[in-house]
Amino acid sequence: MAMDTVLSVAGLTKSFGGLQAVRGVDFEVERGAIVGLIGPNGAGKTTTFNMIAGELPPTTGKITLLGEDITGQRTDTLYHKGLMRTFQLSHEYARMTSLENLMVAAPDQTGESIWSSWFANGRVKQREAEVIELARDTLDFLGLTHVGEELAGNLSGGQKKLLEIGRTMMNDAKVVLLDEPGAGVNPTLMRKVGDMILQLNEERGYTFCIIEHDMDMIARLADKVVVLAEGQVLMEGTMDEVRSDERVIDAYFGGEVV
Ligand SMILES: Nc1ncnc2c1ncn2[C@@H]1O[C@H](COP(=O)(O)OP(=O)(O)OP(=O)(O)O)[C@@H](O)[C@H]1O
């Protein structure tokens, strides 16, 4: 493993009954990189993410974060280690405001979610002021200040995506898995989501692994692209290399002339 690898998966497999959704996937994500994970529908991208993010135990294989074997560790454990993911369909708390959605993503001083201390003690304590300030700064960074008091359920698809990215910022997650940040987002906001990702990468040193079907977005963001097809890595390379590779064209279009 290279010295600057922050995340690696090796020999990862996942079977659902008789179906082998992921069949021996290997790839590495270098510190400060933006890695795109692409491939046709059903290639195993989300299943791979679910295993890395601790939502699904791998059938076999090993996942390493910052040199530590994290295979099978759960989402909340990984959250404290700085690995977070977002979802294809945003997971906001619809009946809380945007500001509150960010606040509940912050860890408290003991490293627990602030959510649990609210319920345990019935009130927000000293940390509240710091968390509110951080949440306001995060809204400002994302350009969402004007919808800070709006219920998150009322935000547009693109604003929800930005809010999801904001939730990772509240934990200062250093390795972020983004599941289709461009899905259901209009072109203007798509550009903005891309800007945020680049800004977090360049200014705060976040490392990203991104599943995305929008090839323009991947071309703009990704340093390296890993192509999955039928549960396996078909190839990896720059977007230019991937775009012109016959195997990739075949995987997407089934070898038909299009
Ligand atoms: N919980 C599950 N139970 C059974 N089969 C599953 C489960 N989750 C995924 N699969 C199957 O595993 C395969 C890979 O699915 P996955 O969602 O990982 O693909 P994907 O590359 O993310 O696709 P898409 O781009 O369409 O989101 C598919 O054949 C899917 O039907």
Side-chain angles (χ1 to χ4, degrees):
M1 193 189 303
M3 275 298 284
D4 60 350
T5 298
V6 291
L7 178 70
S8 74
V9 303
L12 206 59
T13 69
K14 183 70 193 179
S15 300
F16 297 108
L19 175 86
Q20 258 208 310
V22 175
R23 303 188 292 156
V25 163
D26 302 288
F27 66 89
E28 294 190 351
V29 178
E30 294 77 22
R31 185 184 305 280
I34 302 181
V35 173
L37 192 58
I38 70 168
N41 292 117
K45 303 178 298 293
T46 301
T47 305
T48 299
F49 256 30
N50 287 341
M51 289 190 279
I52 298 171
E55 281 139 6
L56 208 56
T59 304
T60 61
K62 184 174 172 186
I63 304 163
T64 308
L65 177 70
L66 300 165
E68 182 191 347
D69 184 352
I70 57 155
T71 316
Q73 290 190 9
R74 291 162 47 114
T75 312
D76 48 350
T77 309
L78 297 173
Y79 164 88
H80 294 301
K81 293 179 178 168
L83 177 98
M84 282 179 83
R85 63 131 353 140
T86 67
F87 292 88
Q88 188 174 348
L89 297 172
S90 302
H91 274 204
E92 78 286 348
Y93 298 106
R95 304 187 67 173
M96 291 168 69
T97 67
S98 304
L99 187 75
E100 288 164 346
N101 265 272
L102 293 178
M103 289 175 66
V104 295
D108 73 9
Q109 282 147 325
T110 62
E112 295 303 313
S113 162
I114 198 167
W115 186 247
S116 56
S117 66
W118 273 0
F119 286 108
N121 302 329
R123 66 191 180 89
V124 184
K125 296 184 292 191
Q126 175 196 351
R127 170 103 168 111
E128 185 191 22
E130 285 166 43
V131 171
I132 289 179
E133 194 184 338
L134 180 60
R136 289 200 192 286
D137 286 350
T138 303
L139 284 175
D140 190 41
F141 178 86
L142 298 169
L144 292 178
T145 300
H146 62 296
V147 290
E149 303 303 328
E150 186 65 65
L151 294 182
N154 295 341
L155 301 186
S156 74
Q159 289 171 330
K160 287 177 184 173
K161 294 281 181 183
L162 288 171
L163 197 61
E164 283 247 4
I165 293 174
R167 287 167 56 81
T168 68
M169 292 170 64
M170 293 300 292
N171 185 36
D172 203 20
K174 290 300 187 197
V175 182
V176 181
L177 310 177
L178 299 174
D179 195 348
E180 294 199 41
V185 177
N186 74 48
T188 310
L189 263 179
M190 182 111 107
R191 176 109 207 136
K192 169 122 177 115
V193 170
D195 290 346
M196 291 295 119
I197 293 167
L198 286 174
Q199 207 174 336
L200 285 169
N201 175 250
E202 286 161 13
E203 293 175 12
R204 303 198 189 193
Y206 282 30
T207 299
F208 288 101
C209 185
I210 307 180
I211 296 177
E212 183 53 60
H213 283 288
D214 186 288
M215 291 303 137
D216 291 335
M217 189 168 196
I218 286 289
R220 179 177 175 218
L221 299 179
D223 309 301
K224 175 174 96 174
V225 179
V226 177
V227 186
L228 286 191
E230 297 179 358
Q232 292 180 305
V233 176
L234 191 62
M235 72 167 293
E236 69 170 62
T238 63
M239 191 59 191
D240 280 344
E241 288 164 350
V242 162
R243 223 196 288 263
S244 56
D245 193 285
E246 289 292 333
R247 292 167 296 172
V248 177
I249 298 166
D250 271 2
Y252 272 93
F253 302 114
E256 291 164 26
V257 178
V258 289

